[in-house]
Amino acid sequence: MKKITLVLIVSALLFTKQGQAQNNGAGIVAAAAGIAAIGAGIAAIEDMKERAELTGTQWILANHPELTSFSLKTLDFDGKKLKDMSNTTLLYFKVQEFTPSDNPQLDGKRQILFAFTSYGWINDYGIDFSKVRWYLIDGDEWMKMMVAYAKVSSPIKDETILKTKISSGKVVNRGVKVNGNMEVPFFKLEGDMYLVSDYSDEMKLVYNERTLGIFLKKTRDLVQMRRSSIIEIHDFLFDQNKVVH
């Protein structure tokens, strides 16, 4: 909230100086209204972020009692507008365990908490968490998902080879790159073509036009993951030398 306050103060000073230079009372009023609207939007996003992290924490406490010391954080709300968030179909939270101590370091197991949203999950009253489905996955489960996805979307069907390539590389829109080289090229498809992997009782993985789609069987929602999200999740789960805050 300190950042929000600083933004509002700086904006107010800038608009006030501009209004004085123009000697236009109406301009000052309009500027003040604009500042209020910006401040309200930022505050609303910050409040939603805090509520989402709290609800995610509550879900873990209720469903995973084995986690007794952990950190949970999402970056999905950072720099976003309310309109952007209302169209969001997937949020993810970085979860990492740690050893209790003074000023502890995040040194334990890393996992990702997925929050799949349905239409109308953000309304005039805020977030409707009854329209959110939660899934907690670790590195092993993520690797299985990526192998299943690459297997259906590329000509390579050997799961051992795919796992090796994905472990040492990155899944991008066009395939799997290792040291900058395309080692597992994905098929080129038209926009109305789909390749489907019946991954589990809960979801199907869908390859379409260089995107990773996840179809939830229970809600019949199809969500698409951004390439940047795939890379960030992969790096978080497998780059153990990366500093996590």
Side-chain angles (χ1 to χ4, degrees), residues 62-238:
N63 295 275
H64 291 273
E66 74 279 4
L67 295 180
T68 58
S69 56
F70 64 92
S71 167
L72 181 147
K73 183 178 182 180
T74 180
L75 303 177
D76 284 294
F77 290 83
D78 293 353
K80 299 292 182 63
K81 298 178 181 179
L82 285 175
K83 183 179 180 181
D84 297 330
M85 294 310 303
S86 65
N87 295 325
T88 298
T89 54
L90 174 62
L91 303 174
Y92 69 92
F93 304 78
K94 295 178 179 180
V95 179
Q96 185 168 8
E97 297 178 64
F98 61 88
T99 302
S101 65
D102 290 333
N103 301 314
Q105 298 294 316
L106 298 179
D107 55 2
K109 182 177 180 180
R110 303 182 183 191
Q111 299 184 78
I112 292 291
L113 177 62
F114 282 137
F116 294 94
T117 68
S118 296
Y119 178 77
W121 76 285
I122 290 183
N123 53 45
D124 293 339
Y125 302 99
I127 299 178
D128 181 359
F129 284 104
S130 68
K131 295 182 178 294
V132 177
R133 297 291 179 270
W134 304 88
Y135 295 88
L136 183 66
I137 66 171
D138 59 12
D140 290 340
E141 186 67 23
W142 175 255
M143 181 59 68
K144 290 179 183 178
M145 290 177 65
M146 292 298 98
V147 169
Y149 177 65
K151 185 177 180 180
V152 74
S153 58
S154 77
I156 301 177
K157 305 303 178 184
D158 189 308
E159 294 185 2
T160 301
I161 293 177
L162 288 173
K163 184 176 181 179
T164 299
K165 299 294 185 183
I166 295 172
S167 297
S168 57
K170 295 180 182 295
V171 178
V172 298
N173 281 350
R174 298 180 182 274
V176 180
K177 283 188 174 183
V178 181
N179 297 324
N181 299 317
M182 187 62 69
E183 298 286 341
V184 183
F186 289 169
F187 297 122
K188 295 180 180 179
L189 301 179
E190 299 295 332
D192 56 355
M193 294 180 176
Y194 303 87
L195 294 174
V196 182
S197 172
D198 193 1
Y199 178 71
S200 69
D201 293 337
E202 298 176 321
M203 64 180 67
K204 294 182 179 182
L205 303 180
V206 182
Y207 172 63
N208 165 249
E209 204 174 11
R210 303 194 304 272
T211 63
L212 167 59
I214 300 177
F215 177 74
L216 300 179
K217 296 180 180 180
K218 185 174 183 178
T219 62
R220 297 181 180 271
D221 288 325
L222 175 61
V223 302
Q224 291 183 332
M225 292 189 65
R226 300 186 304 272
R227 181 180 67 171
S228 59
S229 297
I230 295 173
I231 294 174
E232 186 173 14
I233 290 171
H234 194 83
D235 287 347
F236 171 72
L237 290 174
F238 295 105

